[in-house]
Amino acid sequence: MVKTGRPGGERSLIESIRRRAAGRDTRRGSTSEVRLGIGDDCALIRPRAGEELAITTDFTLENVHFRRDWHPPESVGHRCLARGLSDLAAMGARPVAALLSLAVPRELTLASGKTRSWVDRFLDGFLALAAEHRVTLIGGDTAQSAASGPGNEGLVHADVVLLGGVKRGRALLRSGASAGDILYVTASPATAQGAARGKPTYPAATAAADRGGLGGSAAELLALRHDPQAFQRLIRTAPDHPHLYPHPRVAAGIALLRLATAAIDLSDGLSTDLGHLCEESRLSAELDAIPIHPLARHAETAGITPSALDLALHGGEDYELLFTASSGTAIPAKIAGVAIHRIGEMKPRRRGVPMLRVRDRGRLVPLQPKGWEHFTS
Amino acid sequence: MVKTGRPGGERSLIESIRRRAAGRDTRRGSTSEVRLGIGDDCALIRPRAGEELAITTDFTLENVHFRRDWHPPESVGHRCLARGLSDLAAMGARPVAALLSLAVPRELTLASGKTRSWVDRFLDGFLALAAEHRVTLIGGDTAQSAASGPGNEGLVHADVVLLGGVKRGRALLRSGASAGDILYVTASPATAQGAARGKPTYPAATAAADRGGLGGSAAELLALRHDPQAFQRLIRTAPDHPHLYPHPRVAAGIALLRLATAAIDLSDGLSTDLGHLCEESRLSAELDAIPIHPLARHAETAGITPSALDLALHGGEDYELLFTASSGTAIPAKIAGVAIHRIGEMKPRRRGVPMLRVRDRGRLVPLQPKGWEHFTS
């Protein structure tokens, strides 16, 4: 809206992203699929022979998906890419390329002394995860955030598009489950993941209980919200950060193409995402064994939450995969290095019977979806 | 961040978009290229044989790209899709599908009495333009805008991804021009475009001067900013709205695949976008005849701007195509129904000679790019 004509500004932010992306192989023809990257009106992608493209886009909004005073910029960059990678994983698609649209207040583009800018640290997190999954940054958009009132500089808004390759007609869908299929989730022990990186582990009691589970992200967020300063001390010793640095299960998703009948990623919480899977497959589900993340147990012990199980059932953003497989399919204990947990079974949908039920001391009780919902005040 | 578990909300906004998109052919397998639309973790696209995919994404931010008190919701929806369509046009790509990410304050999702909600009217504009260009809405994301301070409900943020099909290795690039190529822009008389829709025309004097031109969008924006109420009266009689309802030159772009050597769309202003084309082609350019939109002339006459020519040179968002063709290529007066204007010539880049020059009363004077720039205060 405002034409200024001065140098620098948006152009230099774009150039900085382009330069950093180029250092990580974002250039013309850098892979056989990316025919043209950043720098023209569009990027060009040529899928491999026999493949089609999976596409997903996710918002990351300040004060909705993160808070600048809670989340390090590297975590924000990591998380906004992880969301789309997890969507690709749920379809069994191999990540190929990403587009990053980023609107930030001007102050966040500025370095101060030896401290790098918020945007630079955001890109550190984004590009590190992109490199890990061989994702090429091929485009996007930038803007300066608008103030929404006097005395503020506006908020950070990111929108990330992920493109993946998957064999034609073979992508895992939410709608592919049949009655009688077994329900599984991925979830590796955090202690194992930490140990693999040489990070310290949880105390012995917690570690012993850790066979991997759900609710870790919600528990970490609660700890962050409960006492940000105590959290900052904890953060240095925890082996893994399911909320700040989730691991999208990309390799497991690809391996599941041969094994699963349906899949969805756990972004909104098990109860909500299982509801989506049931609706799309026109089935109901019975849960009997929910693996709980050690951080969720820890949050219950510490009195931060009344119920670790509730975090596992309804806490969002675990970014694990929920999938179904025929009861005749042998599912290994680990897939692509990630532990697999059997949690229940798909059933025909019957009038008068709740879509979701969970076994509680031998009895099946209805389970209401209680995951993430915007637009409810 | 906040788990509430109440019904309605984001889910119902998604469902409403899904339902409205479905009414316009956004369903599984609705075209041979769209294999899966809204409703799973990703959408699936299968390019036609011999084609690759062009991809672009554009932000539309309240108070940066539009103002809620100036732009009707239908215009905001139209414009945020038009930006990406224009990018596809500049590559010569045929539009296939779009993803819409939309964050809005809750109040904008609510109808009041017989007045439809802002979001519904936004979708009217978005889906009407999508239907005109046979674009299938295949996914996106939604969120409730966060307040950035006390007493406000947050701002509208949209991010639109466009996907198009183009023959492998044939897309028009910014980098394809050669020295000696002729420079052209598309721009049809607004009066002709209005007449085709049965709209009233401009007064005879203005209409007579109208051979189509640039700067119309900037002029309409200035009129809107100058006196919104007078503008509201004008709006009903104007034959065309280059700012509120631009026409992305999609069919012309596809036709240019056979004729042009390079192309870019005019989103940031002629001087800035020509600068991009020169940089990517490593050339300079001389302009000699700039067609001026009648609204820009009108704005000069009315004293709203000191120079109609400045609006044509530096005003952004015309969404016309700027392209080059070999001097031996015969370029018709109209392509796909849109008038074509010869505006200059590409030259080798020489040390000490400005990249852009424009002929002013016989003399070549340097032209500084002065288009849209965020991040300059």
Side-chain angles (χ1 to χ4, degrees):
Chain A
M1 221 69 114
V2 180
K3 311 290 188 294
T4 63
R6 296 191 212 146
E10 185 187 4
R11 198 84 204 291
S12 68
L13 175 61
I14 294 170
E15 281 305 319
S16 137
I17 293 176
R18 188 180 181 173
R19 204 166 44 242
R20 292 197 56 184
R24 294 180 187 258
D25 228 19
T26 301
R27 54 181 185 268
R28 290 185 187 191
S30 66
T31 71
S32 60
E33 292 158 287
V34 176
R35 308 306 294 182
L36 187 65
I38 297 174
D40 215 302
D41 289 286
C42 300
L44 292 171
I45 295 281
R46 188 181 300 178
R48 288 186 187 168
E51 288 197 344
E52 53 199 15
L53 280 180
I55 301 157
T56 180
T57 180
D58 287 289
F59 260 144
T60 296
L61 308 181
E62 183 175 346
N63 294 352
V64 176
H65 301 96
F66 74 95
R67 282 181 52 164
R68 230 187 292 163
D69 52 346
W70 290 357
H71 294 79
E74 294 85 356
S75 163
V76 181
H78 177 106
R79 283 164 48 80
C80 77
L81 186 67
R83 296 181 65 194
L85 286 171
S86 187
D87 284 325
L88 291 183
M91 308 285 283
R94 175 182 45 80
V96 172
L99 295 94
L100 166 64
S101 293
L102 185 62
V104 295
R106 187 165 180 277
E107 61 188 15
L108 298 192
T109 64
L110 307 174
S112 118
K114 288 192 176 175
T115 307
R116 300 166 66 233
S117 72
W118 189 95
V119 165
D120 259 337
R121 294 179 57 196
F122 168 94
L123 288 172
D124 287 347
F126 184 95
L127 293 171
L129 188 63
E132 186 182 323
H133 291 282
R134 298 167 171 264
V135 171
T136 306
L137 183 61
I138 58 168
D141 195 7
T142 59
Q144 181 170 340
S145 298
S148 60
N152 75 69
E153 274 237 57
L155 301 171
V156 175
H157 293 80
D159 193 53
V160 175
V161 178
L162 261 293
L163 298 152
V166 62
K167 276 205 181 131
R168 292 183 176 189
R170 293 289 303 278
L172 288 171
L173 305 183
R174 298 177 178 181
S175 55
S178 300
D181 281 359
I182 310 300
L183 260 172
Y184 301 88
V185 290
T186 60
S188 276
T191 41
Q193 296 185 6
R197 302 168 178 214
K199 285 272 192 84
T201 54
Y202 290 116
T206 312
D210 184 12
R211 286 180 292 275
L214 306 179
S217 177
E220 190 175 29
L221 178 59
L222 281 178
L224 194 52
R225 175 188 274 173
H226 183 71
D227 185 345
Q229 296 201 324
F231 183 81
Q232 293 305 326
R233 291 192 296 276
L234 174 72
I235 214 173
R236 292 187 202 97
T237 57
D240 201 35
H241 295 283
H243 178 74
L244 294 178
Y245 299 98
H247 300 284
R249 301 305 187 184
V250 171
I254 294 169
L256 284 173
L257 280 175
R258 292 177 297 104
L259 299 169
T261 52
I264 187 171
D265 77 313
L266 293 180
S267 53
D268 294 344
L270 176 61
S271 60
T272 297
D273 293 317
L274 178 55
H276 295 328
L277 194 146
C278 285
E279 277 169 18
E280 296 294 328
S281 291
R282 296 164 192 254
L283 295 172
S284 64
E286 291 177 11
L287 296 171
D288 42 40
I290 311 300
I292 297 175
H293 193 283
L295 273 182
R297 293 193 192 283
H298 179 74
E300 184 181 307
T301 309
I304 298 174
T305 181
S307 163
L309 179 62
D310 269 5
L311 295 186
L313 285 172
H314 309 300
E317 304 190 299
D318 281 317
Y319 297 116
E320 299 288 356
L321 297 181
L322 172 70
F323 66 94
T324 57
S326 161
S327 60
T329 303
I331 297 294
K334 282 190 179 182
I335 293 178
V338 181
I340 307 297
H341 305 255
R342 178 188 162 130
I343 62 168
E345 193 176 333
M346 302 303 288
K347 299 285 182 185
R349 195 180 287 186
R350 277 185 300 175
R351 194 182 297 268
V353 177
M355 189 170 65
L356 307 182
R357 293 189 294 173
V358 60
R359 200 167 297 278
D360 184 14
R361 281 158 287 189
R363 281 182 51 230
L364 279 172
V365 297
L367 175 66
Q368 294 298 329
K370 280 188 201 160
W372 179 296
E373 263 282 335
H374 301 292
F375 292 106
T376 49
S377 56
Chain B
M1 221 71 115
V2 181
K3 312 289 189 296
T4 64
R6 297 193 210 146
E10 185 187 3
R11 198 84 204 292
S12 68
L13 175 61
I14 295 170
E15 281 306 319
S16 137
I17 294 176
R18 187 180 181 173
R19 204 167 44 243
R20 292 198 55 184
R24 294 179 186 259
D25 229 19
T26 302
R27 54 182 186 267
R28 290 185 187 192
S30 66
T31 72
S32 60
E33 292 158 286
V34 177
R35 308 307 294 181
L36 187 66
I38 297 173
D40 215 301
D41 289 286
C42 299
L44 293 171
I45 295 282
R46 188 181 300 179
R48 288 186 187 168
E51 288 197 345
E52 54 199 15
L53 280 180
I55 301 157
T56 180
T57 180
D58 287 289
F59 260 144
T60 296
L61 309 180
E62 183 175 347
N63 294 352
V64 176
H65 301 95
F66 74 95
R67 282 181 52 164
R68 230 187 290 163
D69 52 347
W70 290 358
H71 294 79
E74 294 85 355
S75 163
V76 181
H78 177 107
R79 282 164 48 81
C80 77
L81 185 67
R83 295 181 65 194
L85 285 172
S86 187
D87 284 325
L88 291 183
M91 307 286 282
R94 176 182 43 81
V96 172
L99 295 95
L100 166 65
S101 293
L102 186 62
V104 295
R106 187 165 181 277
E107 61 188 14
L108 298 192
T109 63
L110 306 173
S112 118
K114 288 191 175 174
T115 307
R116 300 165 67 233
S117 72
W118 189 95
V119 165
D120 258 337
R121 294 179 57 195
F122 168 94
L123 288 173
D124 286 348
F126 184 95
L127 294 171
L129 188 63
E132 186 182 323
H133 291 282
R134 298 167 171 263
V135 171
T136 306
L137 182 61
I138 58 169
D141 195 8
T142 59
Q144 181 170 341
S145 297
S148 60
N152 75 68
E153 274 236 56
L155 300 171
V156 175
H157 293 80
D159 194 53
V160 176
V161 178
L162 262 293
L163 298 152
V166 62
K167 274 202 182 137
R168 292 183 176 190
R170 293 290 304 279
L172 288 171
L173 306 183
R174 298 176 178 182
S175 55
S178 300
D181 281 0
I182 309 301
L183 261 172
Y184 302 88
V185 290
T186 61
S188 275
T191 41
Q193 295 185 6
R197 301 168 178 214
K199 285 270 191 85
T201 55
Y202 289 118
T206 312
D210 184 12
R211 286 180 291 273
L214 305 180
S217 177
E220 190 176 29
L221 178 59
L222 281 178
L224 194 52
R225 175 188 275 173
H226 183 71
D227 185 345
Q229 296 201 323
F231 183 81
Q232 293 305 326
R233 291 192 298 275
L234 174 73
I235 214 173
R236 292 187 202 97
T237 57
D240 201 35
H241 294 283
H243 178 74
L244 294 178
Y245 298 98
H247 300 285
R249 302 303 188 186
V250 171
I254 294 169
L256 285 173
L257 280 176
R258 292 177 296 106
L259 299 169
T261 52
I264 186 171
D265 78 313
L266 293 179
S267 54
D268 295 344
L270 176 61
S271 59
T272 297
D273 293 316
L274 178 56
H276 295 328
L277 194 145
C278 284
E279 277 169 17
E280 296 294 327
S281 291
R282 297 165 192 253
L283 294 172
S284 64
E286 291 176 13
L287 296 171
D288 39 41
I290 312 300
I292 297 175
H293 193 284
L295 272 182
R297 294 195 191 281
H298 179 74
E300 185 181 307
T301 310
I304 298 174
T305 181
S307 163
L309 179 63
D310 270 5
L311 295 187
L313 284 172
H314 309 299
E317 304 189 299
D318 280 317
Y319 297 118
E320 299 289 355
L321 297 180
L322 172 70
F323 66 94
T324 57
S326 162
S327 60
T329 303
I331 297 292
K334 282 189 178 181
I335 294 178
V338 180
I340 307 298
H341 305 255
R342 178 187 164 131
I343 62 168
E345 191 176 335
M346 303 303 289
K347 299 285 183 184
R349 194 179 286 187
R350 276 186 300 174
R351 194 183 298 269
V353 177
M355 188 170 66
L356 307 182
R357 293 189 294 173
V358 60
R359 199 166 297 276
D360 183 14
R361 282 159 287 190
R363 281 182 51 230
L364 279 172
V365 297
L367 174 66
Q368 294 298 329
K370 280 189 202 158
W372 179 297
E373 262 283 335
H374 301 292
F375 291 108
T376 48
S377 55

